């Protein structure tokens, strides 16, 4: 996953404390685990040699997957320079550097030519961003008939005010499946496929260990526990009780839409 500092508005507030730790440690969150990422890419039907944009690439797992397994020519973009460097290292380890271009940039104002991509992939980014502005930029850089693949935190049912307040304290702004599809339609996309699944903490942990490795993940946890602001935010009875209470209400949505 891709943290709010990776894709934030030009005039933005300070990055929430939890994501500062994620950035320093260099871990990536894939809602539904890497299996969800693979299902999303399979639905996007990318042909070998086509051009893909990994918007908010984080440490570059999806970037390398697009280049290695789908044989795409990939532009990977993130606002955080340290994560761009990690994505570059991952591409080199995967042997796909010649098919990957990496940029540091803001997704609200993409430094990319119009109609230059067959696919844009966005994972755990829009919940932190100005959605209409981001979707307008994605629509601009996609070719006619190009696809957008999203993996975003999704409400399984209308949220209570208590849940929304908790998520807002983390600068997270999810929508229901209808809300995400509505935003896509309003931005000129035709939604072709959507599915929502509940989150599994076991799947999320397994994905972290697979993508980031035990050392990096444990380092992120250690840094979090050592940060007084994080302990005050997360390690309280109220926050832990809320997490247990609201876990059934949130999941992840996979969406594939086409530029009309």
């Amino acid at each position: 996953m891709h943290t709010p500092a990776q894709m934030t508005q030009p005039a933005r507030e300070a990055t929430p404390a939890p994501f500062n730790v994620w950035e320093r440690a260099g871990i990536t969150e894939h809602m539904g685990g890497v299996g969800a990422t693979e299902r999303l890419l399979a639905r996007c039907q990318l042909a070998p040699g086509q051009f893909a944009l990994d918007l908010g690439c984080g440490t570059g797992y999806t970037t390398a997957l697009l280049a290695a397994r789908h044989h795409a020519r990939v532009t990977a973009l993130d606002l955080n320079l340290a994560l761009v460097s990690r994505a570059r290292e991952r591409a080199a380890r995967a042997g796909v550097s010649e098919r990957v271009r990496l940029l540091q940039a803001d997704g609200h104002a993409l430094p990319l030519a119009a109609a230059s991509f067959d696919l844009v992939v966005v994972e755990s980014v829009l919940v932190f961003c100005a959605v209409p502005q981001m979707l307008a930029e994605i629509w601009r850089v996609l070719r006619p008939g190009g696809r957008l693949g999203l993996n975003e935190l999704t409400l399984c049912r209308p949220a209570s005010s208590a849940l929304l307040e908790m998520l807002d304290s983390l600068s997270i702004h999810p929508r229901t499946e209808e809300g995400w599809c509505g935003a896509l339609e309003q931005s000129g996309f035709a939604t072709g496929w959507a599915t929502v699944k509940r989150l599994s903490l076991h799947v999320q942990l397994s994905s972290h260990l697979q993508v980031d490795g035990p050392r990096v993940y444990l380092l992120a946890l250690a840094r979090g526990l050592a940060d007084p602001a994080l302990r005050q935010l997360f390690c309280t009875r109220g926050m832990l009780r809320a997490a247990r209470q609201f876990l059934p209400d949130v999941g992840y949505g996979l969406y594939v839409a086409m530029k009309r």
Side-chain angles (χ1 to χ4, degrees):
M1 165 189 102
H2 311 78
T3 67
Q6 297 166 20
M7 283 295 131
T8 48
Q9 302 176 48
R12 58 185 179 273
E13 299 177 356
T15 304
F19 305 107
N20 285 326
V21 174
W22 286 0
E23 290 168 17
R24 290 198 304 271
I27 65 174
T28 299
E29 190 76 57
H30 291 253
M31 293 291 105
V34 294
T37 296
E38 293 169 354
R39 291 196 301 275
L40 178 66
L41 296 185
R43 286 280 183 170
C44 289
Q45 300 178 340
L46 187 67
Q50 288 190 314
F51 290 86
L53 171 63
D54 185 4
L55 198 162
C57 65
T59 61
Y61 179 87
T62 301
T63 298
L65 192 63
L66 283 163
R69 185 176 300 179
H70 297 268
H71 307 287
R73 288 180 277 185
V74 187
T75 297
L77 182 149
D78 203 289
L79 189 60
N80 185 284
L81 183 58
L83 292 175
V84 171
S85 296
R86 290 178 184 270
R88 182 174 289 109
E89 292 167 1
R90 188 187 292 275
R93 291 196 304 270
V96 294
S97 295
E98 73 283 357
R99 295 201 295 275
V100 172
R101 177 175 62 142
L102 286 131
L103 301 173
Q104 180 192 20
D106 190 329
H108 294 87
L110 294 170
L112 301 167
S116 53
F117 292 96
D118 302 289
L119 171 67
V120 177
V121 178
V122 185
E123 298 178 275
S124 301
V125 170
L126 292 184
V127 287
F128 303 112
C129 299
V131 172
Q133 186 178 347
M134 288 278 286
L135 289 179
E137 277 294 273
I138 293 169
W139 192 93
R140 182 182 65 81
V141 302
L142 272 173
R143 293 171 174 163
R147 290 180 171 84
L148 166 61
L150 296 180
N151 180 350
E152 292 290 344
L153 194 68
T154 298
L155 298 169
C156 297
R157 55 192 175 194
S160 66
S161 59
L163 173 57
L164 292 177
E165 287 174 9
M166 184 186 76
L167 293 172
D168 187 66
S169 72
L170 302 173
S171 299
I172 298 173
H173 305 288
R175 302 173 182 228
T176 61
E177 178 181 348
E178 293 76 14
W180 285 119
C181 290
L184 291 167
E185 294 286 335
Q186 290 170 13
S187 298
F189 291 94
T191 304
W193 177 75
T195 185
V196 176
K197 304 289 186 182
R198 295 190 185 278
L199 288 174
S200 163
L201 296 182
H202 172 72
V203 169
Q204 295 305 124
L205 175 60
S206 298
S207 180
H208 276 300
L209 296 177
Q210 178 180 345
V211 174
D212 304 308
R215 178 182 174 278
V216 171
Y217 185 63
L218 291 175
L219 176 62
L221 291 180
R223 286 178 170 170
L225 292 173
D227 189 316
L230 283 179
R231 289 201 305 272
Q232 184 178 3
L233 180 61
F234 283 113
C235 299
T236 65
R237 290 181 180 177
M239 181 60 76
L240 294 174
R241 183 169 57 250
R244 290 194 300 269
Q245 177 184 351
F246 296 128
L247 184 62
D249 296 339
V250 294
Y252 65 94
L254 305 179
Y255 308 89
V256 177
M258 181 179 294
K259 178 177 177 177
R260 301 188 220 207

